[in-house]
Amino acid sequence: MTSLPALSALPTATYRLQLQPDFPFAAAERAVPHLAGLGVSHLHLSPVLEAVPGSTHGYDVTDHRSVRAELGGEEGLRALAATARAHGLGLVVDLVPNHMAASPRHNHALRSVLREGPDSPYARWFDVDWPARDGRLLLPVLPARLPEVRDRLRISGGALHLDGQEFPLRAGTEGLPLDELLDAQWYRLGWWRLARTELNYRRFFTISDLIGVRVEDPEVFAATHAKIVELVADGVIEGLRIDHPDGLADPQGYLEDLAAATGGGCWTVVEKILTGAESLPAAWPVAGTTGYDALRHVDGVFTDPVGADELADLYRDFVGKAGDRGGRWEETERRAAYEVVSHDLAAETAALTRIAERICAADPALRDHAPWALRTAIRELLVRVPVYRAYRTGGEEVLTPEAARGAKAAFAVPEEASAVDLVRQLALGTLGDGPEHRSFRARFAQTSSALRAKSVEDTAFYRYTPLLSANEVGGDAGRPAVSVEEFHAYARRIARDWPGTGTVLSTHDTKRSADVRAAIAVLAQCPQVWAELLTEVAGVPAPDPHVAWTAWQTAFGFGTPDPERLGPAILKSVREAGLRTSWTEPDAEYERAVTEFTAAGPGRIPLRAASEAAFALEPHIRAHALGAMLVQLTMPGVPELYQNTEREYRALVDPDNRAPFAVGPDDDRTALVRAALRLRRERPEAFGARGAYAPLTAEGPAAAHCLAFSRSDQVVTAVTRLPLRLGEAGGWQDTELVLPAGRWADVLDGVREFTGGPATELKLAELFADRPVALLARA
């Protein structure tokens, strides 16, 4: 097949498209002219390999050997690449190395394992603990206990069938009586509720429908990456987004293998969630992260810290929750971690306990640790990992001696608490390097990342909700604001260490799009306005105060009453919170009350127009949204636009934010996007790998309300922070900004010019006379 000529290795900007059967490659091809006109350099496609039929996301990969037929197959992908290249665009593809769909009907590798057991040539693909379940793999796929569905099982064509599901039969067993046949398989069909405690294969987080893949095995890596490597070699794919690297046994080793296989010239970013001041491991051969760390800093610098604290006090008074059930962030986070590790991840902690038991049994110096003590030590250490996971180096900074001392407090007998030291050493890899030792270290790290994701992102973020804009992947709900100084320090570090990293504001995984978060964040500048709004709608009875606060704040951010979109989002929030109902233990009466409340209140009442004070916030919401967008587009890194975000885009948690792309009318956001991206393409030296970042500091009474920086003395970005507080303090008054020396043209209006230099202070009232943001280019 014909190879395409290479474009620049470092994208100028990417545009994410969510592919699905309703938006295949051909539809993306038709969108290329519009997207090229925005000024992006690459299209970023959601996963393109074969997936479960009908999948709207593509992360449930079924066959790595082929491009997904429902999207148009390899021919359609190559046609899209050719059209994109004709318009000066390349392709970046989302790659899913950690897991596949656990669908025997569609996953050829898993089907072979179920038919042939440990002797299957694909047995090494998956982490299966065969001895744990008497040499059989548990498939938690039945809608009820086996006796209740037994009469619906059918045998034909060498397979077992149930309600559209299909399971291959072990050779020579098809003629057996049903009960004997079931017992003779390499798998055991089980009730879906058994997955929590009995599962004996590694999965993605707590999703038993996604089975983990052992890409650390060279043969597995080669088989699962051959097609992607071919497409990279042919120039069809120029960049890769690596989904959930923390799920892998050895992320660095995987990334080194990937770099070697693709020749090292493929722009690669990883979906790595950094916590607090955590840095991306310097040894990883990648350009950076997918950008959630940038999202946290951009959102944070536009959030009022004083008002956020006031809002948290109002929230606690309003919801009346206990500290560990949504009242205080740290306590809520810790309780959620205990619940998830003990309940949702019980099978994972059991697997770790079994490995630890085998290690102890094989070494006389390690014997006589009771299984319960090992299990307790594993649990207590896991909940004390302050980041997603430890890596090859730096593990001692994650699993600290202080963490070990805290874990020992769970033991009444000091001698039994020594199990903590054993588990810590195993997790750090200091007790040996045998197969079981390596397995424990990897599985502990993999479980740690699953625990962090499920307990923080998918539980605590839904329980502690004073300011929902802060409850985003990679965010810190207990500290939603970032100072200007912190932002500048972060941007300088990115420019120096990771200039090719990704930056985002909205993604397919954000719980609320950037525009929704901007509206909510403005409430931190006016907590009393929010309290008054809640009083005004108090006549709509809610199932409980927490739901009322969360639902009304979601509706305020969304901006327009829409029960069909708000209803599912609010229902998902109460299920994820797990306080009154959950996905696995639903309370039908409570959920009905939540649905009725949403329809009668947040889904019907236009909250942002409910009062003069609320309506007056609209200009401040716009200022926040435009400011955040301009900062993201011009700060260090490679900015990504999520589909439809070149204009105002209000979306809630998935699946709401994964609707097919559609070209819409331009607005002032579109003009800003085009101007910023045109500059990035025209002046690569200012924004590229060697582009410098320098903070610019305003002087005067309102200096704190201006965030400004220059890129290589070629481009200046200046935006308004906390405009409501600014107005309350009297506006810009005599506040000034000194531009770098030279003549500067206003890119957003194409008319104004300014002079920079030490003796030519620029009045911010003049700079922001027409809009709350400014983008200047050296003339």
Side-chain angles (χ1 to χ4, degrees), residues 508-520:
H508 63 291
D509 279 334
T510 43
K511 293 174 170 54
R512 298 156 198 93
S513 67
D515 284 300
V516 174
R517 298 198 311 275
I520 293 171

Side-chain angles (χ1 to χ4, degrees), residues 315 318-319 321 326 460-468 471 512 516 520 523 530 534 542 544-558 566 569-574 577 579 590 594 597-598 602 607 652:
Y315 161 80
F318 186 90
V319 302
K321 289 287 185 184
F461 274 176
Y462 289 98
R463 292 183 176 181
Y464 180 81
T465 59
L467 189 65
L468 287 171
N471 295 19
R512 298 156 198 93
V516 174
I520 293 171
L523 296 175
W530 174 242
L534 287 179
D544 59 65
H546 183 264
V547 170
W549 180 286
T550 302
W552 283 117
Q553 198 172 99
T554 300
F556 182 89
F558 193 68
L566 284 164
I570 301 304
L571 185 58
K572 181 171 183 173
S573 75
V574 297
L579 294 172
Y590 178 75
V594 170
F597 159 67
T598 304
L607 194 59
L652 301 173

Side-chain angles (χ1 to χ4, degrees), residues 343-587:
H343 187 274
D344 303 81
L345 295 177
E348 283 68 25
T349 55
L352 283 166
T353 303
R354 291 193 297 270
I355 300 172
E357 287 182 65
R358 293 196 292 267
I359 292 172
C360 291
D363 187 344
L366 302 178
R367 288 177 187 165
D368 286 352
H369 285 288
W372 73 263
L374 293 172
R375 185 170 57 252
T376 301
I378 290 166
R379 179 194 68 205
E380 295 294 328
L381 282 174
L382 280 170
V383 300
R384 286 171 172 78
V385 175
V387 293
Y388 275 69
R389 63 170 282 173
Y391 300 106
R392 286 186 184 178
T393 59
E396 295 81 1
E397 300 172 8
V398 173
L399 282 173
T400 63
E402 290 76 15
R405 283 193 290 271
K408 289 179 179 180
F411 293 83
V413 178
E415 291 81 3
E416 290 177 330
S418 64
V420 172
D421 296 321
L422 169 69
V423 169
R424 179 172 180 263
Q425 289 175 297
L426 288 174
L428 293 175
T430 59
L431 278 184
D433 195 39
E436 294 279 34
H437 295 78
R438 292 195 298 273
S439 176
F440 185 92
R441 184 178 185 184
R443 290 297 290 271
F444 187 93
Q446 291 167 314
T447 303
S448 168
S449 69
L451 172 59
R452 182 83 186 182
K454 295 303 298 180
S455 64
V456 177
E457 295 174 30
D458 294 342
T459 304
F461 274 176
Y462 289 98
R463 292 183 176 181
Y464 180 81
T465 59
L467 189 65
L468 287 171
S469 57
N471 295 19
E472 202 49 81
V473 180
D476 185 346
R479 185 176 175 270
V482 169
S483 70
V484 171
E485 292 74 22
E486 286 178 275
F487 178 84
H488 285 318
Y490 167 78
R492 281 194 297 257
R493 185 169 67 251
I494 293 301
R496 182 190 68 221
D497 300 335
W498 302 100
T501 193
T503 69
V504 295
L505 289 182
S506 298
T507 77
H508 63 291
D509 279 334
T510 43
K511 293 174 170 54
R512 298 156 198 93
S513 67
D515 284 300
V516 174
R517 298 198 311 275
I520 293 171
V522 167
L523 296 175
Q525 298 176 58
C526 54
Q528 287 306 316
V529 171
W530 174 242
E532 292 165 7
L533 285 174
L534 287 179
T535 300
E536 291 181 21
V537 296
V540 183
D544 59 65
H546 183 264
V547 170
W549 180 286
T550 302
W552 283 117
Q553 198 172 99
T554 300
F556 182 89
F558 193 68
T560 304
D562 188 339
E564 292 186 1
R565 295 178 68 184
L566 284 164
I570 301 304
L571 185 58
K572 181 171 183 173
S573 75
V574 297
R575 287 174 173 169
E576 295 281 24
L579 294 172
R580 298 280 300 275
T581 188
S582 70
W583 296 103
T584 55
E585 287 88 28
D587 182 327

Side-chain angles (χ1 to χ4, degrees), residues 622-703:
R622 174 177 175 269
H624 179 131
L626 290 177
M629 175 65 83
L630 183 57
V631 167
Q632 186 237 346
L633 292 177
T634 56
M635 68 184 289
V638 175
E640 170 152 292
L641 289 172
Y642 186 60
Q643 59 181 26
N644 302 310
T645 58
E646 66 270 26
R647 63 188 68 87
E648 186 179 30
Y649 174 71
R650 301 177 187 177
L652 301 173
V653 69
D654 67 277
D656 185 72
N657 59 9
R658 299 185 184 185
F661 166 82
V663 176
D666 289 357
D667 59 15
D668 58 354
R669 182 82 50 83
T670 317
L672 182 148
V673 167
R674 286 200 174 102
L677 295 186
R678 184 175 66 248
L679 268 185
R680 293 190 72 100
R681 298 196 78 157
E682 291 175 351
R683 307 197 182 197
E685 71 282 357
F687 295 100
R690 294 181 176 83
Y693 177 93
L696 299 179
T697 303
E699 298 290 340

